[in-house]
Amino acid sequence: PTVNLGNDTTFCQGQTIILNAGSATSYVWSNGSTASSINISASGIYWVQVSDGQCSATDSIVISINQYPNPNLGNDTTLCQGQTVTLNGGLASSYLWSNGSTASSINASTSGTYWVQVNNGQCFKRDSINITFNSAPTVNLGNDTTFCQGQTIILNAGSATSYVWSNGSTASSINASTSGTYWVQANNGQCFKRDSINITFNSAPTVNLGNDTTLCQGQSVTLNGGLATSYLWSNGSTASSINASTSGTYWVQANNGQCFKRDSVSIDISNCEPNVFTPCQLFVPKAFTPNGDGINDKFCPLTICSFQHYELLIFNRWGELIFKTSNQTNKWDGKYKGSDCSAGVYIYTITYKFLSQQAKNAYGSITLLR
């Protein structure tokens, strides 16, 4: 008889091959079977002897079983833009990836579905994975900045799925009204970005030019802008103080950085000569300047009437009597015991009586300016 089991062959685990010994009167197989054919599912050397009476023939075949590869790309996942994940096809004899690569592994950095076919001979398996790359949120709190006390700035973290601020807030924005460093972490899933900002709140300066006032011609008053980093006066000066000697409204803007305060004062210059007064009235100047320039160098009350009785007393701020006179024409020259008194406020009392009038008292303060 004629018998041909075919060429040696390989197939995949789990498959079955039928070996057929052809036409004969009897059969003996290597596994003991006497059928004309057998099913093979395991590797090995298989032979058969076929007979027609006393005539016989034998053939054999080598069968190999290949294991299926076992690729596992893992579960679908989400990563952050800028990250990269390595996908590994496992152990196999050859590979084919969805991007055309034939390497055993590839790097994935863009969203999409990735698959691989891995082969052991004609035995192959496929696996796939869906990868999503989320963009990290964009957060920009701006440059470090300075504001004025009493102001409020809104810090906005932009668009994201969740937020954590340095003060514990989980809102998308917060109000900042005190100096400090503020930060926020904005999240899109596991993707996040942080930003911080340093905010300083400066106090506005304190400025007080005093009450509106009236001076005599030739007098002047020093207007002080207080403590600040810069100044701007109504006359264009940028000094911390100015001298005012003409009628008008004076103002100053005092600045601490961009924080500022304004104040103004109205000054009226009057003609203080005696003929401006009604008979027997007493006028007491508010200030004088004993600087030797011949203008407003001495202090005394003014009137067009004669006194029947007159006494002028001047005290310093400690209550010490530094000038006394009963002579209407005797004026204080700003000295005490022959020495110049310092600039400042002094107290006066005047006891006087005009003819045909009752005795009167006047008291107040006089500012000595130098």
Side-chain angles (χ1 to χ4, degrees):
T2 299
V3 57
N4 184 5
L5 297 181
N7 297 325
D8 296 342
T9 189
T10 300
F11 59 92
C12 302
Q13 191 176 41
Q15 292 182 321
T16 299
I17 186 173
I18 298 175
L19 299 179
N20 195 312
S23 179
T25 57
S26 65
Y27 308 86
V28 178
W29 292 88
S30 53
N31 64 356
S33 174
T34 58
S36 62
S37 63
I38 59 174
N39 287 332
I40 302 301
S41 59
S43 60
I45 300 174
Y46 294 86
W47 56 262
V48 65
Q49 179 180 305
V50 297
S51 302
D52 274 340
Q54 71 237 32
C55 300
S56 64
T58 300
D59 194 24
S60 64
I61 187 174
V62 176
I63 295 178
S64 299
I65 303 294
N66 277 348
Q67 296 287 334
Y68 277 101
N70 187 31
N72 183 8
L73 299 182
N75 298 325
D76 293 345
T77 188
T78 299
L79 300 172
C80 301
Q81 279 185 352
Q83 294 181 310
T84 300
V85 60
T86 299
L87 303 178
N88 198 308
L91 295 175
S93 59
S94 64
Y95 308 85
L96 179 62
W97 292 87
S98 51
N99 64 356
S101 173
T102 56
S104 61
S105 63
I106 62 170
N107 291 326
S109 58
T110 58
S111 296
T113 299
Y114 295 81
W115 58 259
V116 64
Q117 177 179 303
V118 295
N119 306 277
N120 277 340
Q122 74 260 40
C123 306
F124 66 89
K125 280 280 186 74
R126 281 194 176 196
D127 192 28
S128 64
I129 184 174
N130 186 59
I131 300 177
T132 301
F133 286 88
N134 282 343
S135 60
T138 299
V139 55
N140 183 7
L141 299 182
N143 297 325
D144 295 344
T145 188
T146 300
F147 288 89
C148 301
Q149 281 185 351
Q151 292 182 309
T152 298
I153 180 176
I154 298 175
L155 301 178
N156 195 309
S159 179
T161 57
S162 64
Y163 309 86
V164 178
W165 291 87
S166 50
N167 64 355
S169 173
T170 56
S172 62
S173 63
I174 62 171
N175 292 329
S177 58
T178 58
S179 296
T181 299
Y182 295 81
W183 59 258
V184 65
Q185 177 176 305
N187 309 282
N188 275 344
Q190 75 257 43
C191 307
F192 66 89
K193 278 288 182 68
R194 279 194 177 197
D195 194 28
S196 64
I197 184 175
N198 186 60
I199 301 177
T200 302
F201 286 88
N202 283 341
S203 60
T206 300
V207 56
N208 183 6
L209 298 182
N211 298 324
D212 295 344
T213 188
T214 299
L215 301 176
C216 295
Q217 286 183 351
Q219 291 182 320
S220 65
V221 62
T222 299
L223 302 178
N224 196 306
L227 293 177
T229 56
S230 64
Y231 308 85
L232 178 62
W233 292 87
S234 50
N235 64 356
S237 173
T238 57
S240 61
S241 63
I242 62 171
N243 288 325
S245 59
T246 58
S247 297
T249 298
Y250 295 80
W251 59 258
V252 64
Q253 178 176 301
N255 308 280
N256 275 344
Q258 74 236 54
C259 307
F260 66 89
K261 278 289 182 68
R262 281 194 175 198
D263 193 29
S264 63
V265 64
S266 179
I267 296 177
D268 182 48
I269 303 297
S270 294
N271 183 358
C272 301
E273 294 298 326
N275 59 10
V276 301
F277 304 110
T278 58
C280 298
Q281 286 187 340
L282 189 70
F283 174 80
V284 182
K286 297 292 186 182
F288 75 115
T289 57
N291 54 14
D293 63 357
I295 301 174
N296 198 31
D297 281 335
K298 294 183 179 182
F299 167 76
C300 71
L302 303 175
T303 182
I304 62 172
C305 297
S306 297
F307 293 106
Q308 185 177 1
H309 170 75
Y310 170 81
E311 185 179 63
L312 170 64
L313 303 178
I314 297 178
F315 303 86
N316 62 20
R317 59 180 176 175
W318 294 282
E320 181 182 7
L321 178 63
I322 61 173
F323 181 78
K324 178 180 179 180
T325 184
S326 298
N327 185 347
Q328 181 179 354
T329 62
N330 192 11
K331 303 177 181 180
W332 182 40
D333 61 359
K335 296 180 182 292
Y336 177 50
K337 294 182 179 180
S339 298
D340 290 339
C341 295
S342 60
V345 177
Y346 294 81
I347 305 301
Y348 68 82
T349 64
I350 305 172
T351 303
Y352 65 99
K353 182 180 182 305
F354 295 116
L355 293 173
S356 72
Q357 290 188 8
Q358 293 182 348
K360 296 181 180 180
N361 293 317
Y363 58 91
S365 63
I366 176 71
T367 300
L368 190 158
L369 302 173
R370 291 196 182 276

